[in-house]
Amino acid sequence: MNDPAPATRPQHLNPPEHILVDPEVVNSSLSRRVLSRMPGVPWTVCRNYQKQLQDLGTDSQVLYLKNYKGRFLRPCPGTSRYHCCGYQIIHIGENCPLQCTYCILQAYFQDRVLKIWANQQDLFQELEEHLTRSDTPIRAGTGEFTDSLALEAVTGFTGDLVSFLGDYHNICLELKSKIVELGWMHKVKHPDRVLPAWSVNSQALISAQEKDTDSLEQRMQAARACVQQGFRICLHFDPIIHYPGWQKGYARAVETIFDYVRPRDIAYMSLGSFRFMPDLEKIIMRNHPRADYVYNEFITGLDGKKRLLLPLRLEQFRFIIGRLKESGMGHNMYLCMESGAVWKKVLGYTPKELGGLDKHLLRLSFPTRSQNSPKIFIDRHKLLS
Ligand code: SF4
């Protein structure tokens, strides 16, 4: 059942100082795989991980193989104030070994322990019940509370997941990452129902703010490799940050994308301006004193999050979207957490004109299914004009 471990450990993945394992999952195939791929790392079976963490020191690098008891499949919290994309989260673990200065997880979770839900069979059972109960197609992803692939070299979680989901026609899985990890690819039965996705940004920002991640060029090389294997990909320009020289940086980023893929290889692309809850601002200042973008001029949005001033946001969106349109992108671009008015100004269309963002993205995720669907309204002539 277990694949051999990758020949070399990815550079972003330092071995933890200690592995903690819940007793119920000590013999699960995922736990056994992780432990076999991290020989030499001490591990302990424990009932109370928080107590154990205190004994080890709260700053120690710990990987925790957990018997997760919550819901594995849940709707993305989104926001009621802005347009939501209708994404379903498949919860596979929490925290991330990469170190993006702006990472929201710094504010979400009380510790930085890398947690992996090692009771995978419970996840599969919940998914099976959901996917057989209803034929309604869903767009799901694992990249909400962790990077989808950052721990893949030791867990093989995504390989197991794509293999399991291959039997279900009503789910499209998005794998969102900032690294290059394609070890799961050979387990995919239907490439049309898996969407490898990368966050993209200007290389200057990646170098300064996304420590331990792979470069834009490496991400796009991986994207091209996926396309060559029959996948479509997704890209997420998020967070777009206002910094001196951003025009040059983002113009080059768009060029780099289309050095490697064609517009038709991209199922959809999101753009999101840097936004944050006030709690995160303080954490960024404390953890990353050189992250000077937090001192930009922000306003508080309807959802309580701070965002760049509207004229600056519009300027950045118009610039980047202008370059993307010149490169051939069309109505498969959408904005994250912005109002219909901002959409209209920068994209020229609103979620309503697409028949609702959630339905639109579902249609883009399942292209052949929705081409025949009369339920989803889209006025292509209007949108593309
Ligand atoms: S890759 Fe995503 S989850 Fe990981 S540190 Fe960066 S922003 Fe956070």
Side-chain angles (χ1 to χ4, degrees):
M1 171 189 279
N2 285 353
D3 294 333
T8 53
R9 180 173 50 78
Q11 49 109 21
H12 69 269
L13 212 50
N14 291 319
E17 291 164 37
H18 209 98
I19 301 175
L20 300 177
V21 193
D22 273 346
E24 298 86 351
V25 291
V26 73
N27 284 317
S28 78
S29 58
L30 190 126
S31 295
R32 280 189 272 123
R33 185 189 292 149
V34 171
L35 295 173
S36 73
R37 290 185 181 182
M38 293 209 160
V41 178
W43 59 280
T44 307
V45 179
C46 72
R47 278 252 162 247
N48 183 340
Y49 107 91
Q50 278 173 334
K51 173 162 185 324
Q52 199 77 29
L53 194 58
Q54 275 174 358
D55 294 347
L56 291 167
T58 43
D59 282 341
S60 47
Q61 306 288 309
V62 172
L63 181 76
Y64 176 30
L65 298 169
K66 184 176 166 73
N67 181 36
Y68 182 67
K69 300 204 179 85
R71 280 186 62 197
F72 292 96
L73 183 68
R74 51 172 88 168
C76 177
T79 168
S80 57
R81 300 289 187 163
Y82 297 103
H83 294 282
C84 179
C85 66
Y87 176 79
Q88 297 277 328
I89 299 165
I90 297 179
H91 202 17
I92 62 168
E94 287 172 0
N95 276 323
C96 175
L98 309 174
Q99 295 189 48
C100 305
T101 60
Y102 52 77
C103 181
I104 182 69
L105 301 185
Q106 297 171 98
Y108 270 4
F109 303 123
Q110 55 188 353
D111 58 53
R112 296 304 308 269
V113 172
L114 296 171
K115 299 178 187 123
I116 301 162
W117 308 158
N119 51 329
Q120 255 184 333
Q121 291 311 318
D122 293 335
L123 162 66
F124 293 153
Q125 190 180 337
E126 186 183 320
L127 285 174
E128 182 180 4
E129 282 167 12
H130 183 94
L131 295 169
T132 50
R133 193 184 324 127
S134 159
D135 213 28
T136 310
I138 64 169
R139 193 173 65 87
T142 51
E144 190 69 14
F145 300 120
T146 181
D147 179 283
S148 290
L149 298 169
L151 290 172
E152 183 65 11
V154 287
T155 67
F157 206 127
T158 297
D160 295 339
L161 185 60
V162 294
S163 172
F164 173 81
L165 291 180
D167 294 335
Y168 300 91
H169 67 277
N170 51 341
I171 182 165
C172 183
L173 179 72
E174 182 178 332
L175 302 170
K176 189 164 152 196
S177 188
K178 291 192 175 86
I179 59 147
V180 174
E181 166 58 64
L182 301 178
W184 48 272
M185 207 195 263
H186 68 284
K187 296 199 166 181
V188 174
K189 296 175 193 158
H190 302 281
D192 55 330
R193 296 204 298 272
V194 176
L195 292 168
W198 280 270
S199 298
V200 290
N201 221 312
S202 77
Q203 186 53 50
L205 262 166
I206 290 173
S207 304
Q209 312 300 347
E210 297 181 356
K211 189 164 172 281
D212 294 340
T213 67
D214 285 324
S215 70
L216 178 61
E217 223 164 316
Q218 289 169 319
R219 295 176 205 182
M220 293 314 303
Q221 282 166 359
R224 180 162 68 185
C226 290
V227 169
Q228 286 167 343
Q229 294 302 314
F231 294 87
R232 291 173 308 139
I233 57 147
C234 301
L235 298 175
H236 300 287
F237 250 114
D238 201 346
I240 295 170
I241 288 179
H242 202 277
Y243 68 97
W246 64 264
Q247 291 94 335
K248 198 169 160 211
Y250 283 113
R252 182 69 200 119
V254 173
E255 284 168 16
T256 304
I257 290 169
F258 296 105
D259 284 346
Y260 288 94
V261 296
R262 301 158 299 185
R264 69 170 181 269
D265 300 326
I266 302 170
Y268 49 81
M269 179 188 284
S270 72
L271 296 100
S273 186
F274 175 56
R275 56 207 176 275
F276 54 97
M277 294 304 281
D279 282 357
L280 181 62
E281 181 179 19
K282 293 187 207 111
I283 292 170
I284 294 174
M285 287 171 177
R286 189 186 65 222
N287 291 353
H288 309 285
R290 295 174 67 186
D292 52 1
Y293 57 85
V294 283
Y295 302 103
N296 283 341
E297 292 187 78
F298 298 105
I299 49 134
T300 304
L302 297 169
D303 55 359
K305 286 186 181 167
K306 290 191 173 184
R307 290 168 167 73
L308 196 63
L309 291 182
L310 182 61
L312 298 178
R313 238 159 62 227
L314 291 177
E315 185 190 6
Q316 286 203 292
F317 280 142
R318 282 188 176 122
F319 180 88
I320 300 170
I321 289 166
R323 299 294 169 117
L324 290 168
K325 282 185 174 171
E326 281 166 20
S327 305
M329 290 295 289
H331 64 275
N332 55 350
M333 292 187 286
Y334 70 95
L335 299 183
C336 252
M337 307 283 173
E338 295 286 352
S339 67
V342 172
W343 275 64
K344 192 75 185 172
K345 283 190 173 104
V346 302
L347 286 167
Y349 49 85
T350 65
K352 203 170 165 198
E353 288 173 287
L354 298 171
L357 180 57
D358 51 348
K359 290 192 183 68
H360 181 57
L361 292 178
L362 207 51
R363 187 188 68 80
L364 293 171
S365 305
F366 292 87
T368 43
R369 166 187 287 263
S370 56
Q371 268 160 18
N372 300 325
S373 169
K375 291 192 192 119
I376 297 173
F377 165 76
I378 181 161
D379 184 344
R380 285 175 182 274
H381 297 295
K382 199 168 161 197
L383 291 170
L384 296 173
S385 62

